[in-house]
Amino acid sequence: MMIERHLFSAAALLALSATAAIAADQAKAVKRPTIKSNRWQEDWSVLADPALRTRPLDSLKYLPLSSGDPGTYVSFGANLRDRFETNNAPSFGIGGIERDSYVIQRAQFHIDLHLFEDWQVFTQFEDDRAFGKSSVGPADADKADLRLAFVSYSHDFDAGTFKARVGRQDFAFDLQRFVSSRDGPNVRQSFDAIWVDWETGPWRFIGFVSQPVQYRNDKAFDDTSNGDFRFSTLRVERQVLGTNELSAYYSLYQKRNAHYLDGSGDEDRHIFDTRFAGSSSGLDWDLEGMGQVGSVGDKDIRAWAIGARGGYTFEDAPWTPRLGLQFDIASGDRHPGDGTVGTFNPLFPNGYYFALAGYTGYTNLIHLKPSITVKPTDNMTLMAAIGLQWRQTTADAIYVQPNQPLAGTAGRGGAWSGAYGQIRLDYAFNANLTGAIEAVHYEIGDVIRKAGGHDGNYLGAQLTFTW
């Protein structure tokens, strides 16, 4: 009898130990969400567990609205980004501004309402300032305004997941070469849109119609969109060869009163894009090609671009160095006056795809960029690169971001545009505070020098706080 009692006690202790281990594993598995660039993608419902509310103001990150449904809650958050920039040659000094030093500031506040697991109402306000900037454009400053305000629905069915969003929102594709949320400049890009998404197995199908928001800095809450500018897309994605990504999409870009060096008028641009990206055994790659046809005014459009990035990471080496190589080419207009506009339209480009300095845009371009990236610590990333640039055709201009032609360069000089060196350091102080420093030196080619330009030096230092 005593032996049986000991056996029973031992079994009970083992059961309790197993239960405790499972509970500990479950506690470890449930973690606080990470803060994302798109704040509406965060899910703070895990804070329904009081044990995870360990930081100040967590009561505002998760404010329950139903005692019986942890998925019904409201969450508040904020972003603050300040960046000091100095540039001795905006647009290579062509256009009247020789040197500019200033601070740009982006302040955002959002309210994220979740209802019954499937519904979300997200609202974000933004105030963008440019202190001391000589020339302030639509991407530099925007007095307090409504940046995002949409209703979304998401539901899991047996066959897949359905998602839809209606309202002012943002979206970005892939490396954001051509469709981006424009995080580099001060004012991010938003769209008044209807978005539908169906995901099943390795497939994802996306469709949306949108009117890109046009920014004004005259007074608060004056940003608008209208039918003069429309962007609509049908996109399909599939995971192939494991988790590698294959995608293709068709877009219709419509803009009234568009202007190019060789044509102007109403623009109807049909866009066809395909991309393949992935990684394997330390090797990573991202290949994308885009073709554009249509019309602007009474002229035809025939334009194209190809972008490629690849690299190899030495995962077992100190600082895990990555050797990278980037190649980009975008068409220009080879024969002005022939009735066809060959100038590539980069759509909604990422402001830091090449460098934060913004010296060149993704138009009439050949770009080759080797780089090396290292991580001296888990919180620090250091990148150094050299960029070599040519024009795709000397008949068209050299372009600065996003797609502005440099005066005095179209049809003049050779193909060589110049070369630049770039160094960037990113550091994460903690989960809420990050910093970055970037320096760029650009040695211009003869065509820019003869047009009145000079070499460029850029320095930017940034701090970003998120809550």
Side-chain angles (χ1 to χ4, degrees):
M1 182 66 69
M2 188 175 293
I3 293 175
E4 290 177 352
R5 289 198 190 98
H6 284 302
L7 288 174
F8 178 79
S9 299
L13 287 172
L14 287 173
L16 288 173
S17 298
T19 302
I22 293 172
D25 290 340
Q26 290 176 342
K28 290 179 181 179
V30 179
K31 297 180 179 179
R32 295 174 60 92
T34 57
I35 293 176
K36 299 182 179 181
S37 175
N38 293 322
R39 302 300 304 269
W40 55 269
Q41 294 178 325
E42 299 169 8
D43 181 3
W44 291 92
S45 62
V46 297
L47 294 191
D49 180 1
L52 295 177
R53 300 176 200 165
T54 58
R55 299 182 185 176
L57 301 180
D58 269 357
S59 60
L60 295 178
K61 296 305 296 180
Y62 178 81
L63 187 63
L65 301 179
S66 171
S67 59
D69 181 9
T72 297
Y73 68 96
V74 65
S75 179
F76 299 92
N79 299 341
L80 179 63
R81 190 186 78 173
D82 283 271
R83 183 196 299 156
F84 167 77
E85 294 185 318
T86 181
N87 190 343
N88 78 322
S91 298
F92 301 109
I94 298 174
I97 301 177
E98 288 295 322
R99 178 180 294 275
D100 209 3
S101 298
Y102 51 88
V103 172
I104 53 176
Q105 181 184 82
R106 176 197 296 163
Q108 299 171 323
F109 172 77
H110 69 257
I111 306 169
D112 189 8
L113 173 64
H114 290 252
L115 299 169
F116 317 117
E117 299 289 346
D118 292 339
W119 292 91
Q120 180 184 17
V121 181
F122 188 89
T123 306
Q124 185 178 62
F125 303 93
E126 181 171 288
D127 184 84
D128 305 302
R129 305 288 170 141
F131 302 103
K133 198 171 192 300
S134 300
S135 177
V136 178
D140 298 317
D142 183 33
K143 292 183 176 70
D145 222 307
L146 183 67
R147 200 186 88 80
L148 300 176
F150 64 82
V151 178
S152 90
Y153 174 79
S154 176
H155 189 77
D156 294 326
F157 297 90
D158 291 339
T161 300
F162 174 79
K163 300 178 182 178
R165 297 196 302 269
V166 179
R168 183 162 294 185
Q169 54 194 280
D170 55 9
F171 35 78
F173 291 154
D174 313 320
L175 286 183
Q176 304 189 37
R177 289 184 179 98
F178 311 126
V179 180
S180 78
S181 55
R182 201 169 63 184
D183 194 51
N186 209 26
V187 183
R188 297 187 78 182
Q189 179 65 57
S190 302
F191 302 80
D192 290 334
I194 300 174
W195 170 290
V196 177
D197 185 325
W198 174 253
E199 301 173 24
T200 177
W203 292 93
R204 184 183 186 190
F205 302 90
I206 297 170
F208 65 83
V209 293
S210 79
Q211 295 180 170
V213 175
Q214 303 301 289
Y215 295 93
R216 294 181 293 183
N217 193 36
D218 297 330
K219 58 183 180 180
F221 298 99
D222 61 351
D223 299 340
T224 61
S225 72
N226 58 59
D228 291 344
F229 191 8
R230 294 179 178 176
F231 181 62
S232 305
T233 295
L234 292 173
R235 177 181 169 99
V236 59
E237 304 173 359
R238 194 185 194 284
Q239 292 185 343
V240 297
L241 305 175
T243 58
N244 298 320
E245 305 170 13
L246 181 64
S247 65
Y249 66 85
Y250 162 79
S251 294
L252 177 60
Y253 180 100
Q254 299 171 295
K255 190 173 185 179
R256 291 185 182 176
N257 199 26
H259 295 279
Y260 296 88
L261 288 181
D262 192 35
S264 61
D266 291 350
E267 179 178 2
D268 289 280
R269 193 174 291 253
H270 301 272
I271 298 158
F272 303 89
D273 183 279
T274 185
R275 172 180 174 263
F276 177 51
S279 61
S280 178
S281 303
L283 182 68
D284 64 88
W285 65 88
D286 190 296
L287 312 173
E288 184 173 8
M290 177 178 284
Q292 301 177 343
V293 297
S295 63
V296 54
D298 60 353
K299 296 191 175 184
D300 294 332
I301 293 173
R302 298 289 185 274
W304 52 270
I306 297 172
R309 277 188 182 182
Y312 185 83
T313 301
F314 298 87
E315 297 175 351
D316 297 328
W319 294 11
T320 56
R322 177 188 179 274
L323 299 180
L325 183 64
Q326 177 179 335
F327 173 75
D328 302 279
I329 181 170
S331 66
D333 192 56
R334 300 183 67 86
H335 303 287
D338 66 350
T340 299
V341 176
T343 303
F344 180 75
N345 182 343
L347 307 180
F348 308 96
N350 189 332
Y352 57 84
Y353 180 73
F354 296 127
L356 278 176
Y359 286 129
T360 51
Y362 213 118
T363 302
N364 190 29
L365 172 82
I366 300 174
H367 175 242
L368 186 65
K369 182 179 181 179
S371 65
I372 181 170
T373 304
V374 295
K375 290 185 67 65
T377 69
D378 291 340
N379 295 337
M380 180 187 295
T381 302
L382 181 64
M383 186 273 289
I386 296 175
L388 311 174
Q389 296 191 334
W390 300 261
R391 281 186 287 180
Q392 192 269 329
T393 173
T394 58
D396 204 343
I398 293 172
Y399 287 78
V400 296
Q401 288 187 12
N403 60 343
Q404 300 299 314
L406 272 178
T409 60
R412 301 180 184 178
W416 176 248
S417 302
Y420 67 91
Q422 178 188 18
I423 298 176
R424 180 179 175 91
L425 183 148
D426 289 270
Y427 190 82
F429 297 94
N430 53 47
N432 301 94
L433 183 64
T434 61
I437 299 175
E438 180 168 326
V440 177
H441 174 71
Y442 197 109
E443 290 277 350
I444 61 173
D446 287 342
V447 62
I448 299 177
R449 201 173 302 278
K450 290 179 180 178
H454 56 83
D455 297 341
N457 291 296
Y458 167 90
L459 177 66
Q462 174 178 301
L463 277 176
T464 302
F465 174 78
T466 55
W467 166 70

